[in-house]
Amino acid sequence: MKFDNILSEINGFGKFQIKLVLIQILSRITLPCHFLLNNFMAAVPSHHCDISALDNGDLFGNLTLDQKLAVGIPAEQDGTLSSCQMFSVPQYQYLSGSNSSEDAFTVQCWNGWVYDNSTFKSTVATEWDLVCSRKGMNKATATVFFIGVMVGAPLFGFLSDKFGRRPLLLVSYLSSTIFAVLSAFSPSYVMFVIMRFFTGISLAGISIISLVLNVEWFGVEHRTFSGIIISLDWTVGTWTLVGIAYCVNEWRMLILAVTSPLILAIIAWWLPESARWLTANGNAEAAHYYIKKCAEMNNRTECMTDITTKVHFSIVFTLVRQYYNNIMKNMFCVLSYKNYTVVDLFRTPKIRKLTVFSGIVYGVAFTYFGISLNITGFGLNPYLTQFIFASIEMPMMIGVYLFLEKIGRKPGETGTLLLTGLCLFINMFVAQDKWVIPFLARLGVSISPLIMLLEDVWHLLPAVTYCAVAIGSGLVASLLPETLNTQLPEFIEDIEKPRIKIFNHLMKLKADIQYASYRKLT
């Protein structure tokens, strides 16, 4: 008995599922707030060297601020003041319009920097002077955070499979809150980076577990809709980030503000365990409890008499599969049905293909965050730019839903990735002063953490990198199987069906006998 059949009987998209999604909005909107936080928390405002050390009690002290800057800081080719250099001695000849450069020796800023705080009162960059030769340290704050996310995804995936979705989701809530608060009160750059790493690990738990929990409670026919609804949390969260960042322009308070929804998520923590997970782990009583709750909330209590039998049958079926697997795995080279590890994702050919190809396709996140984490590259107001980014996503997600329902996942994924790569490729040939033509392609100029530093090697290298990743991901996506209107596999062996055809036939026969016997007894 497939769990999807049980969901269909108790309504795979009713009040129960809607309540589940709405409750998790409180936690999921914090994801984009933290993932895109560096756009505001680590923003680098206009700055120049602190030239107060040039005041030796002579003429310099009687100059206006503009005059001091003119004689103390060299100008770049575009006429703007240098951000990282200053004159070793005042160049008073510039006051009379002279272009003489005698003795105009420049040095690195030796007395710190002066920052423009008209937009941001304080940021990580201004707190610890992460500019000029230390700008890589500023970009590294985002990189370390995403390394934490990379570590947290498999970690919480494994733990939630072992101990359940519900308790590990609460652990994610609590740990994310704790580490975010600690990062806000970090007295040093090193402690701040370490706390951001653990914040990334914890937030990955929210991202992974909440998505799985939602999908496992939705029926096959509503799975696409559920995925789109859940993804809208990202857009809402981005809008929330813009509003909070606009009102809170001090980086420590900003972290606390964007983390505060997690407090509400902990207080309002009503979440069911995944009945699918409980069934797969042989816990019939708990699975039946949550299925009954779902049926009652969805007004399908009349189905529970027959479903009670089916739930117990699902447990018997699982145990039978495990029993037959242990006896016959040497003959048919089949894996055990319990105690899976990450190694099992690479042992058999089909699941290995899915694992590797899905990982490559998800590399599009590299391009997405490369675009999203350099909103200052547009030269526009950062709040407006971030708001436009989020607003563009909303109608596009609705369009994606219609496309996925009518066309399918594989052509949708492949087509959009290849189109992204094409836009980024075209963008490389658009002059920087023509940013409006085309606007979407202009997004590719944005540079992600650390990748921005590749601009020093070749100014087009970041764009080339993003383009290659998008096109490569699109080509690999075409090799993945279509999943439109198909039931979710409940075991790795369900994916490797052709290889264990005889084994599945024997299991089905045994399960049918068990089910018939059970029905006779009941």
Side-chain angles (χ1 to χ4, degrees):
M1 175 65 188
K2 287 284 187 179
F3 184 78
D4 288 316
N5 300 124
I6 296 177
L7 275 181
S8 296
E9 295 192 32
I10 61 175
N11 189 357
F13 183 65
K15 293 181 181 179
F16 182 88
Q17 285 78 9
I18 293 174
K19 184 176 181 180
L20 176 63
V21 171
L22 291 177
I23 288 178
Q24 292 186 81
I25 289 178
L26 292 172
S27 62
R28 289 188 60 84
I29 61 173
T30 62
L31 296 176
C33 288
H34 274 277
F35 278 57
L36 303 176
L37 187 59
N38 264 50
N39 282 335
F40 305 101
M41 176 186 69
V44 182
S46 300
H47 56 280
H48 59 76
C49 297
D50 183 354
I51 55 176
S52 59
L54 297 179
D55 188 359
N56 55 6
D58 198 5
L59 176 62
F60 189 88
N62 297 323
L63 300 178
T64 65
L65 177 59
D66 289 340
Q67 290 174 330
K68 290 179 180 179
L69 294 176
V71 302
I73 298 178
E76 301 288 355
Q77 292 183 351
D78 59 0
T80 60
L81 295 177
S82 173
S83 299
C84 302
Q85 292 185 322
M86 60 182 289
F87 292 122
S88 58
V89 295
Q91 303 299 306
Y92 294 113
Q93 67 272 18
Y94 290 121
L95 295 177
S96 59
S98 172
N99 293 325
S100 172
S101 59
E102 294 182 9
D103 300 326
F105 295 109
T106 61
V107 295
Q108 300 295 320
C109 301
W110 66 43
N111 196 38
W113 288 262
V114 174
Y115 299 94
D116 176 12
N117 60 1
S118 59
T119 302
F120 304 102
K121 183 178 180 180
S122 70
T123 69
V124 172
T126 63
E127 176 93 7
W128 290 300
D129 287 333
L130 306 181
V131 295
C132 298
S133 62
R134 291 160 57 93
K135 65 181 180 180
M137 296 174 64
N138 192 39
K139 298 298 178 183
T141 58
T143 300
V144 170
F145 171 81
F146 282 106
I147 292 175
V149 174
M150 181 180 67
V151 173
L155 175 63
F156 275 95
F158 169 77
L159 293 176
S160 66
D161 281 342
K162 187 174 180 62
F163 300 106
R165 283 67 163 116
R166 189 170 185 262
L168 265 297
L169 196 55
L170 181 59
V171 170
S172 299
Y173 289 173
L174 293 172
S175 58
S176 296
T177 303
I178 293 172
F179 289 122
V181 171
L182 289 176
S183 67
F185 290 100
S186 298
S188 67
Y189 171 79
V190 173
M191 179 179 175
F192 171 75
V193 170
I194 293 174
M195 291 301 102
R196 286 297 288 170
F197 172 76
F198 285 108
T199 303
I201 291 178
S202 304
L203 289 171
I206 298 177
S207 177
I208 296 295
I209 300 173
S210 62
L211 179 62
V212 171
L213 183 60
N214 282 319
V215 170
E216 289 184 336
W217 270 112
F218 277 85
V220 174
E221 60 274 16
H222 298 103
R223 196 186 304 153
T224 302
F225 183 74
S226 69
I228 297 298
I229 287 295
I230 295 169
S231 66
L232 291 180
D233 294 345
W234 185 274
T235 302
V236 175
T238 305
W239 283 337
T240 303
L241 171 62
V242 174
I244 294 177
Y246 184 80
C247 299
V248 182
N249 58 4
E250 199 280 320
W251 73 270
R252 295 182 186 272
M253 293 304 299
L254 179 59
I255 294 178
L256 296 178
V258 299
T259 307
S260 58
L262 284 178
I263 304 296
L264 297 177
I266 296 172
I267 295 174
W269 188 62
W270 174 91
L271 290 170
E273 182 55 90
S274 168
R276 185 189 298 271
W277 178 83
L278 291 169
T279 301
N281 284 271
N283 194 336
E285 184 177 353
H288 180 265
Y289 171 80
Y290 286 112
I291 290 174
K292 182 179 179 182
K293 289 290 185 183
C294 179
E296 291 174 351
M297 193 170 295
N298 291 344
N299 297 321
R300 293 291 183 89
T301 53
E302 69 277 1
C303 303
M304 285 308 300
T305 302
D306 188 48
I307 288 177
T308 299
T309 300
K310 292 177 180 179
V311 171
H312 284 282
F313 163 66
S314 295
I315 304 304
V316 172
F317 181 64
T318 300
L319 295 176
V320 169
R321 297 181 78 174
Q322 294 174 353
Y323 170 75
Y324 266 83
N325 177 67
N326 290 332
I327 295 177
M328 305 177 69
K329 64 180 179 179
N330 291 330
M331 181 182 300
F332 296 102
C333 301
V334 184
L335 298 172
S336 174
Y337 282 94
K338 52 193 302 186
N339 299 325
Y340 287 120
T341 67
V342 69
V343 177
D344 295 310
L345 295 176
F346 300 92
R347 285 185 176 174
T348 51
K350 289 194 174 182
I351 190 64
R352 180 167 58 244
K353 174 184 173 182
L354 287 174
T355 302
V356 174
F357 287 0
S358 298
I360 294 174
V361 169
Y362 201 71
V364 71
F366 171 82
T367 299
Y368 175 83
F369 286 108
I371 293 171
S372 301
L373 287 174
N374 192 41
I375 59 175
T376 56
F378 292 89
L380 303 175
N381 182 286
Y383 304 106
L384 177 61
T385 305
Q386 191 73 76
F387 180 80
I388 291 174
F389 271 28
S391 300
I392 289 174
E393 290 181 0
M394 181 66 77
M396 290 304 296
M397 287 180 180
I398 297 175
V400 165
Y401 167 71
L402 298 175
F403 189 92
L404 293 179
E405 279 290 276
K406 301 298 182 182
I407 308 298
R409 275 78 157 154
K410 184 162 71 171
E413 184 80 23
T414 302
T416 52
L417 286 173
L418 292 178
L419 181 60
T420 299
L422 177 62
C423 290
L424 293 173
F425 179 75
I426 294 174
N427 176 74
M428 290 187 288
F429 300 97
V430 178
Q432 291 187 357
D433 58 343
K434 305 292 184 181
W435 66 272
V436 179
I437 310 171
F439 177 75
L440 288 179
R442 180 64 180 86
L443 301 181
V445 168
S446 300
I447 301 170
S448 63
L450 297 186
I451 296 297
M452 181 179 182
L453 304 179
L454 295 178
E455 226 177 14
D456 297 336
V457 179
W458 180 36
H459 72 286
L460 290 180
L461 186 54
V464 171
T465 304
Y466 295 137
C467 178
V469 170
I471 293 177
S473 298
L475 294 175
V476 172
S478 65
L479 303 176
L480 291 171
E482 181 57 72
T483 60
L484 181 63
N485 296 325
T486 60
Q487 290 187 331
L488 289 174
E490 297 181 11
F491 300 92
I492 289 179
E493 289 72 16
D494 292 336
I495 298 175
E496 304 290 344
K497 280 183 179 179
R499 186 172 179 177
I500 55 172
K501 185 175 180 181
I502 300 176
F503 173 70
N504 278 348
H505 176 73
L506 292 174
M507 286 196 302
K508 184 178 184 302
L509 179 62
K510 180 65 175 178
D512 289 342
I513 295 173
Q514 293 283 350
Y515 183 49
S517 300
Y518 189 85
R519 288 296 296 247
K520 185 176 180 180
L521 291 174
T522 57

